[in-house]
Amino acid sequence: RYQFTHALIQETLAQELSTTRRARLHPQIAQALEELYGANAEDHAADLAHHFAQAEPVLGPDKLVRYSLRAGQQALAANAYEDGLTHFERGLVARGIALSGTEGASQAAPDEEAADLLFGLARAQSATLLVHQLGEACATMSRAFEYYAGAGNIAQAVATAEFPIGPPAYLIPGVAQLMARAVTLAPADSHETARLLSRYGGTIGVAESDYEGAQNALKRAISIARREGDVPLEVQTLTYGAVVSGQHLHWQESVDNGLRAIELAASDEDTFSEVFSRWWTAIGLLHMGDLDMARSHALVLRDVAERRSTPRSLASVSYVPITSLSCLEGDWKAGREYSDRGLELSPVNQQLLGPRVQLEYETGEYAQAEIYLNRLLEAMRGRTDSFSSGRTSLAITAVGRTTGVPDRWEIAEAAAEAVLSEQSITPNVALSAKAGLALLAVQKGDQPAAEELYPYLRGHRGTIIWSFSSVDRLLGLLAQTKGNLDQAVPHFKEALAFCRKAGYRPELAWTCCDYADTLLQRNESGDRAKAVSFLDEALAISTELGMRPLMERVVAIQGRAESQPVKTPVYPAALTRREVEVLRLVASGKTSAEIAADLVLSRRTVERHISNIYSKTNTRSRAEATAFAFNNGLVSSS
């Protein structure tokens, strides 16, 4: 009966009726449908909201608002976020309540119904707006929160404040203030307090760079969550712990928190925790050089991004780890594919634009690179997101290093300085900005700047800075810029070992090239031979991966190496510098495996050097070779 009546009504409305006639029919239709649906009317809220909207001039807004609110809530439950946005906005407009950006928009909701509409609108906005627009969702949420708090509805105030708007709070203005106010409402040591402390810890750990305060809040939240048997809350809190630890460059701690959250999670209902527990686990592993383990989490994130239920802002950032990973291993096709998917969802996502710019320049696609670089610069203008601005500065300076063209340096320097001038930036943000300034100092040959930045970066050895450079290679370049070539060499050795172990082939190729350049500048005995070997490796990798700018750079340095005079060996028995290094380690009692680790060589190469030493020194064993070393002053007897 319902379906027949509804179809008849629709057919009637479809006929050519005058505006006046339609206006008289809509109230009748709306009321008739409501009567037909009876006790099940709210199950058809979207349909009724539509008809009562048409009937509003006659019947008024009350039922339109009621059914719009219910329809919006049903849409959110079904992950139909765009539909929810429409319903909540229609209800608020019918109430005469500003949506945003107008006078009074920052005030509290006037009553519970309005607060419920605003809370629903904020949730729909958090799933549909782009990352840089999410401050609007927070402002909407605050208006609902103020009503609930003022009315003494603590449970709903807590539910509003703890709702995770989009990505972590550090990207959203206003969240820290909202959480600080909310924490004061709930009873101390209560379950509600734990839910608030969980998000509050994640907020202040990043937005205010308060690592200790964040850890205290998160530990309290986990303790209460375990007491209450609230596993989802523990998962959420561990996820925030992964975020905070990663932002403070405690990579192993971040990974441990993320893995624990993943292990405990029983379902994918909490998309925020599902995304960011794996996001920071994957990013932490990439920074530490564990590409294979990072891949499994990055691929899960890719699949999460492609689920219809995943909010747009979370789906976009979910492509960041797999894009960075693809660039680190030199899979440019995959890097383009995944960044395309993420940028389709969020065209101004700086965390995706940065690697894409780097990818296009690395492969010599300059026209495409300029398109993405201009988008990156446009996205940076007028933004207050220091996390992305620091990486943007690094991306611009990395472009200059790749192309050898001094372009947009002033923009990169200004962006980095602006980030570093902020009062509360996390170590992660500061590292990106200072790495950008370091690359700038290298390209300018700015020795004082290199001297200043070197000690800071030295504290972060053994990691990579996103997909742009290993810290060890950057330290080698800074030492080279300072004029201390002997100091640069060990850093390049460490960078080689890190890249070989991790499988970061583009970075390995750049390290071989930069190391060879340093050796040619130093030009000690044996340096030219090693430089030629590293250049051959750099050319082989860059050719295979299609890294045209690096190929051209390597060929130019090879030409310089060929014309450089070879120094006469200064060691007895015509031993090379490398053979002397190996002999000294043999004399110290080290095994071939230990020597290989010390000199960043394969064991097979070490054995070949030892064989050459025996031949040149007319010795037949390690003991005889050791005696030769002592007798010829190659090692001290003390």
Side-chain angles (χ1 to χ4, degrees), residues 320-535:
V320 172
I322 190 66
T323 300
S324 296
L325 183 150
S326 300
C327 291
L328 282 168
E329 65 179 348
D331 187 345
W332 311 124
K333 180 180 178 182
R336 288 187 174 94
E337 176 187 347
Y338 294 130
S339 64
D340 278 344
R341 293 187 198 178
L343 291 170
E344 184 178 352
L345 294 166
S346 179
V348 293
N349 187 326
Q350 290 167 271
Q351 296 182 62
L352 289 168
L353 285 170
R356 185 56 178 268
V357 169
Q358 180 192 16
L359 182 161
E360 301 296 354
Y361 275 115
E362 286 278 27
T363 55
E365 300 294 339
Y366 292 150
Q368 282 296 308
E370 282 294 307
I371 292 173
Y372 288 104
L373 180 55
N374 287 328
R375 280 173 62 180
L376 179 63
L377 294 172
E378 185 62 33
M380 187 178 68
R381 294 189 183 101
R383 295 279 295 279
T384 58
D385 174 9
S386 59
F387 180 65
S388 296
S389 294
R391 290 187 63 188
T392 298
S393 171
L394 177 55
I396 296 171
T397 52
V399 165
R401 181 67 183 167
T402 301
T403 62
V405 178
D407 190 22
R408 300 181 177 94
W409 282 358
E410 69 286 351
I411 297 175
E413 186 171 17
E417 295 291 358
V419 168
L420 294 171
S421 68
E422 295 182 20
Q423 291 184 347
S424 299
I425 59 169
T426 64
N428 194 325
V429 173
L431 177 60
S432 293
K434 291 199 174 187
L437 292 176
L439 272 175
L440 197 58
V442 169
Q443 292 170 83
K444 289 182 175 181
D446 188 341
Q447 185 172 346
E451 292 277 6
E452 180 182 347
L453 290 161
Y454 178 85
Y456 171 83
L457 288 166
R458 201 167 187 275
H460 301 287
R461 290 174 297 171
T463 62
I464 198 157
I465 308 173
W466 298 100
S467 57
F468 294 103
S469 173
S470 71
V471 173
D472 296 299
R473 176 166 73 95
L474 192 47
L475 284 166
L477 291 170
L478 287 173
Q480 182 187 40
T481 303
K482 293 193 301 174
N484 192 336
L485 301 180
D486 286 336
Q487 186 184 58
V489 166
H491 289 308
F492 285 123
K493 287 181 180 178
E494 290 175 4
L496 283 176
F498 177 83
C499 293
R500 291 191 200 283
K501 181 179 178 182
Y504 296 161
R505 300 186 70 215
E507 179 64 13
L508 174 61
W510 273 102
T511 301
C512 286
C513 178
D514 290 337
Y515 190 5
D517 187 47
T518 296
L519 290 172
L520 290 173
Q521 285 187 43
R522 191 174 68 166
N523 197 26
E524 292 187 0
S525 178
D527 279 354
R528 181 181 175 280
K530 285 191 289 186
V532 169
S533 175
F534 288 135
L535 290 170

Side-chain angles (χ1 to χ4, degrees), residues 77-224:
N79 301 316
Y81 303 114
E82 295 284 356
D83 291 342
L85 198 67
T86 299
H87 292 307
F88 291 123
E89 287 179 346
R90 182 167 54 191
L92 287 164
V93 170
R95 284 288 312 272
I97 295 173
L99 299 179
S100 66
T102 58
E103 186 177 351
S106 62
Q107 296 177 357
D111 52 45
E112 185 169 350
E113 182 181 65
D116 290 345
L117 284 165
L118 287 167
F119 184 28
L121 177 62
R123 285 179 288 166
Q125 287 173 330
S126 74
T128 55
L129 295 178
L130 299 177
V131 170
H132 67 282
Q133 299 171 320
L134 288 172
E136 181 180 340
C138 182
T140 305
M141 191 79 79
S142 296
R143 294 164 66 195
F145 171 83
E146 290 300 334
Y147 170 79
Y148 296 133
N153 189 344
I154 303 304
Q156 192 62 15
V158 169
T160 304
E162 71 171 342
F163 182 81
I165 302 176
Y170 59 83
L171 292 177
I172 308 170
V175 171
Q177 294 83 346
L178 176 63
M179 296 305 305
R181 174 130 158 68
V183 168
T184 65
L185 298 178
D189 206 37
S190 67
H191 198 179
E192 291 82 2
T193 295
R195 300 208 307 270
L196 290 167
L197 284 172
S198 174
R199 192 152 189 253
Y200 182 61
T203 302
I204 64 171
V206 182
E208 300 176 9
S209 194
D210 183 356
Y211 178 77
E212 293 301 327
Q215 291 300 312
N216 290 335
L218 295 172
K219 286 177 182 177
R220 286 176 59 196
I222 286 180
S223 177
I224 298 172

Side-chain angles (χ1 to χ4, degrees), residues 20-42:
T20 303
R21 179 66 175 153
R22 267 201 200 99
R24 287 201 300 269
L25 279 175
H26 276 301
Q28 298 174 39
I29 294 169
Q31 291 172 324
L33 282 174
E34 185 179 36
E35 182 180 347
L36 284 171
Y37 292 145
N40 298 319
E42 290 205 350

Side-chain angles (χ1 to χ4, degrees), residues 11 14 19 50 62 109 114 153 169 295 301 348 354 430 461 468 514 555 573 625 636:
E11 182 180 346
T19 303
H50 168 74
D62 290 351
N153 189 344
R295 190 191 311 279
L301 283 171
V348 293
R461 290 174 297 171
F468 294 103
D514 290 337
V555 169
S636 173

